[in-house]
Amino acid sequence: MDQIDKKILNILQENARMSYSDLAKKVYLSPPALKERIIKMEDHGVIKSYDIKLDYKLLGYDIETFMTVNLFHGKLKSFLSIIKTFPEVKKAYRITGEQNVMLFLVLKDRLHLQEIIDKLMKYGDTKSHIILSEISIEENYLK
């Protein structure tokens, strides 16, 4: 992977819908050469998917939260199975430290958060961290 590939990835992170033609101009390649590089990065698994970022508030979800769970002994397998059935859970990670799992959830309101906590309490102790606002940072970390 060279500097051109890294520049392509940085641009795609900002706008994955940019046309090959427009992107090729930004990195000084022909569109076919650019397409070949992108396909190669997809084939090697560097580019896993092209995602969209949703505004959950506009979709009726007033609360976004990170929740950590310290699972009770013997509950990991059942938790990993059940958590996949929760539509509120948008991302889930096994983590190191005192907690076992970190979740990113979108919820309609505080009552909805309480209902989720009540459902998860039988698997472990939860800690919720309600997101107040997002801090905008530069995502071009492939320098």
Side-chain angles (χ1 to χ4, degrees), residues 25-84:
K25 288 176 190 172
K26 289 183 176 278
V27 296
Y28 307 105
L29 291 174
S30 68
L34 172 83
K35 184 176 180 179
E36 184 178 317
R37 281 177 177 259
I38 291 174
I39 289 170
K40 194 178 285 185
M41 287 188 278
E42 291 170 344
D43 289 345
H44 285 94
V46 173
I47 298 174
K48 292 183 177 184
S49 68
Y50 296 87
D51 297 327
I52 60 172
K53 186 174 180 180
L54 300 175
D55 187 326
Y56 291 109
K57 289 198 184 312
L58 294 177
L59 295 171
Y61 297 93
D62 196 41
I63 294 178
E64 295 175 79
T65 185
F66 289 108
M67 182 182 292
T68 56
V69 184
N70 186 9
L71 296 167
F72 299 139
H73 184 73
K75 293 290 187 176
L76 178 62
K77 282 189 177 186
S78 59
F79 179 82
L80 294 177
S81 294
I82 194 72
I83 203 63
K84 295 174 185 178

Side-chain angles (χ1 to χ4, degrees), residues 100-114:
N100 307 97
V101 175
M102 178 175 281
L103 308 172
F104 171 70
L105 302 98
V106 293
L107 307 150
K108 294 183 186 291
D109 51 32
R110 292 181 311 184
L111 181 59
H112 192 183
L113 174 59
Q114 181 178 316

